[in-house]
Amino acid sequence: MDSIYVAGIVYGSMLDGPGLRTVIFLCGCSVGCPGCHNKEYWNKFNGKKYSVRELYSEILPFTPQKKITFSGGEPLEQKKELKKFINLLIILTENVKNILIFYP
């Protein structure tokens, strides 16, 4: 089972992309940008561990707008798991409006 480490989830954000959306903050970042706002997310294992399906089940009831942003940390440091999660969203969720990935 593939695990994805999540630092936090924000439902109903209007700050992290166009429109009302769900934001998933993923753990892990080796970039270490000066002035980073999310230094606590640098360690991959500081967050909550989910399976890809568990995370899908967690957000689905609270994401009726079907717009999702991945932030972090550096979301692409979990690219294998992130790809599986996005594929699951596309396969199982009708009319996914848009998916954004913010990275340093």
Side-chain angles (χ1 to χ4, degrees):
M1 174 170 38
D2 293 307
S3 297
I4 190 163
Y5 292 86
V6 176
I9 302 171
V10 175
Y11 299 104
S13 174
M14 293 189 72
L15 301 175
D16 298 288
L20 192 63
R21 56 198 316 108
T22 294
V23 184
I24 302 172
F25 292 90
L26 298 182
C27 293
C29 184
S30 59
V31 178
C33 297
C36 175
H37 292 273
N38 297 329
K39 287 182 181 181
E40 65 274 17
Y41 302 164
W42 288 3
N43 184 331
K44 177 181 175 178
F45 303 106
N46 276 353
K48 183 174 180 182
K49 180 179 173 181
Y50 290 90
S51 73
V52 169
R53 284 200 174 264
E54 286 171 337
L55 183 57
Y56 176 82
S57 296
E58 174 83 20
I59 71 156
L60 190 63
F62 307 105
T63 310
Q65 69 281 3
K66 299 180 181 172
K67 296 178 182 179
I68 299 171
T69 297
F70 294 95
S71 191
E74 162 51 295
L76 298 179
E77 290 200 11
Q78 296 191 65
K79 64 184 170 194
K80 179 180 148 194
E81 297 81 4
L82 183 58
K83 181 180 177 183
K84 287 182 181 188
F85 183 77
I86 291 171
N87 285 337
L88 188 66
L89 280 172
I90 292 167
I91 291 167
L92 297 180
T93 307
E94 283 188 36
N95 303 317
V96 172
K97 300 285 188 207
N98 67 39
I99 298 169
L100 297 176
I101 301 173
F102 283 114
Y103 58 93

